[in-house]
Amino acid sequence: GFGITGDDFVVKIVDQGLHRWLPERWRPGRGSDDVVVGIPHGPIAIDTTLPMGNNPQGTVVHPDGATTYVAHSADSVAVIDAATQTVVDTITVGYAPNGLAISADGARLFAANEGDDSISIVDTVSRAVIATVGVGQNPEALAVSPDGATLYVANAQDDTVSVIDTVSATVTATVNVGN
């Protein structure tokens, strides 16, 4: 996965097979468990490669551009400080998180935990899970409504979309989208 800061100056890339689509000079290494951060606009150069371990998956950049979140198979989300390009914290979430999304105001982070069919809702200030919501099988992709009140979860295994009220942390609908 990848994320772009608000000013489109820095691209964050998680190497989850994505390397095969990148020019050779951008690749962090085949089969690596690294995250590439800081690809400046203009001539392409990689500033930093951060070892993540355990199969990094989804990534999302906080709306203020100061923090990047990276999900990895160690049942956690790494918190990366964009200025220092270092991992400053780790948030324990559900089993095998992959997809991430963040509310427009940056107050809530959402992690799709494909291993236990759940969504972790994280308060980004305290960096704590404030709710866990059960969804369909193998949740992967997430989308947050512009007002942050609704989260949409694509569940790959059972071909459904779970609709979550983010305030009450409840599933309000499950939509069958077919094969």
Side-chain angles (χ1 to χ4, degrees), residues 19-92:
H19 60 271
R20 67 179 159 247
W21 305 109
L22 297 174
E24 187 70 39
R25 65 182 179 271
W26 291 13
R27 296 179 188 179
R30 290 189 179 272
S32 77
D33 289 328
D34 296 341
V35 173
V36 176
V37 296
I39 299 177
H41 207 17
I44 302 302
I46 295 175
D47 287 325
T48 305
T49 300
L50 300 175
M52 287 279 96
N54 272 338
N55 193 20
Q57 297 278 330
T59 185
V60 69
V61 179
H62 192 280
D64 68 10
T67 308
T68 298
Y69 301 92
V70 179
H72 52 84
S73 296
D75 305 340
S76 62
V77 174
V79 181
I80 299 172
D81 180 280
T84 63
Q85 297 186 351
T86 58
V87 177
V88 295
D89 203 355
T90 302
I91 304 165
T92 301

Side-chain angles (χ1 to χ4, degrees), residues 109-128:
L109 173 71
F110 306 96
N113 307 307
E114 69 177 342
D116 62 10
D117 301 332
S118 72
I119 301 299
S120 296
I121 302 175
V122 177
D123 177 283
T124 59
V125 174
S126 67
R127 297 182 181 153

Side-chain angles (χ1 to χ4, degrees), residues 165-176:
D165 176 317
T166 62
V167 176
S168 66
T170 58
V171 175
T172 60
T174 301
V175 180
N176 187 346

